[in-house]
Amino acid sequence: MLAHYKLRGDRPILLASAGAVGGGPMRAITAQLLRLGHEAQVVIVCGRNERLRRELARITESQASRFRILGFTDEMPSLMRVATLFIGKPGGLTASECLAAGLPMVIVAPIPGQEERNSDHLLEQGVALRCNQVTTMAWKIDRLLADPERLEQMRRNAQRMGRPDSARVIVETLLHEEAAPVALDPDTQELIAEAARGFGGPVMVYDAATDELLGTISEGQLAVLSAVLERESPDDNDFYIDGPTIELLRDRGADADLLALLEQAIEERGEVEIRWEREE
């Protein structure tokens, strides 16, 4: 992995992730990482947000020798194993993957609810530091990198909490534990089936004018868009998005990832017509 991305093993490696859709304050994070005093190498994963990837590649061009700007990748487990620090949101899967890799975290912009609680737990266990203001990130990371004993302790704490064999344990438990079979009545079975249908593949979101892929959303997020915004017909797969539209969605409880994707979509022109398609 080090050779593949031309990374050096004798320098810290910071792994920053904008998630699968390329949301969050990654531009501000990148600006901070450009200001680091340490000669750290930085890998930034932009997900499916090609516009963000191109923009960050341009922003970091002056320090291109130590920045690697990636789009969507399925190599996150390998990147986590070689990284020194992870920078991003403390979602359940992300936090679990970091802990399994023994990777300390720099937490940024946790959403209210489960991410806030995850953040509290990770801080209490000594595996993370948190940047409530992105503008403090360079200072906090430089301070941590200057304290190798603290960084090593955070790594050991992450290893202690991690469960890299959790999938195997679950399967073995299901196969070998003697437990009474679960019997579900037809109504309950239908409820479960209906809920499962909401966990289909990602929904692709495009700029209707340019056909540029803006990112992906879930069926649940699409349902929020459809419920809040007007559709001309059941077959309509376009939505007009501008600032007031995003505020309306925010007021109606749209989640942070959906709002971040839409905010990035209108960043350049102030408005956009988006088109959605289900992935085949």
Side-chain angles (χ1 to χ4, degrees), residues 58-73:
R58 177 180 56 79
I59 291 172
T60 60
E61 189 174 5
S62 63
Q63 299 185 35
S65 62
R66 68 183 191 91
F67 276 81
R68 307 291 181 269
I69 312 298
L70 311 181
F72 182 83
T73 177

Side-chain angles (χ1 to χ4, degrees), residues 21-164:
V21 300
M26 192 51 67
R27 293 169 181 81
I29 290 172
T30 302
Q32 285 292 302
L33 297 177
L34 283 165
R35 297 177 56 191
L36 285 174
H38 283 78
E39 285 293 319
Q41 303 161 103
V42 181
V43 179
I44 300 178
V45 180
C46 300
R48 293 186 173 89
N49 191 333
E50 178 60 19
R51 179 191 299 174
L52 177 65
R53 189 197 65 78
R54 291 197 304 266
E55 183 177 346
L56 296 189
R58 177 180 56 79
I59 291 172
T60 60
E61 189 174 5
S62 63
Q63 299 185 35
S65 62
R66 68 183 191 91
F67 276 81
R68 307 291 181 269
I69 312 298
L70 311 181
F72 182 83
T73 177
D74 57 4
E75 295 180 331
M76 286 299 288
S78 298
L79 288 168
M80 285 182 169
R81 282 194 290 271
V82 300
T84 308
L85 278 175
F86 175 86
I87 302 167
K89 292 161 64 65
L93 287 175
T94 298
S96 297
E97 290 169 345
C98 285
L99 295 176
L103 179 60
M105 300 178 67
V106 178
I107 295 171
V108 184
I111 62 174
Q114 59 99 359
E115 287 192 1
E116 284 281 2
R117 291 190 286 274
N118 290 349
S119 176
D120 290 344
H121 184 58
L122 294 167
L123 292 170
E124 289 166 359
Q125 296 298 318
V127 302
L129 59 84
R130 175 170 170 171
C131 293
N132 291 324
Q133 300 294 329
V134 176
T135 51
T136 66
M137 180 177 291
W139 178 79
K140 287 192 174 185
I141 291 178
D142 270 329
R143 190 179 180 195
L144 179 58
L145 293 178
D147 189 348
E149 290 185 5
R150 180 188 176 197
L151 184 57
E152 175 60 21
Q153 184 60 56
M154 291 174 69
R155 188 185 67 81
R156 288 198 296 266
N157 291 341
Q159 289 177 328
R160 170 177 52 80
M161 291 184 66
R163 298 291 183 270

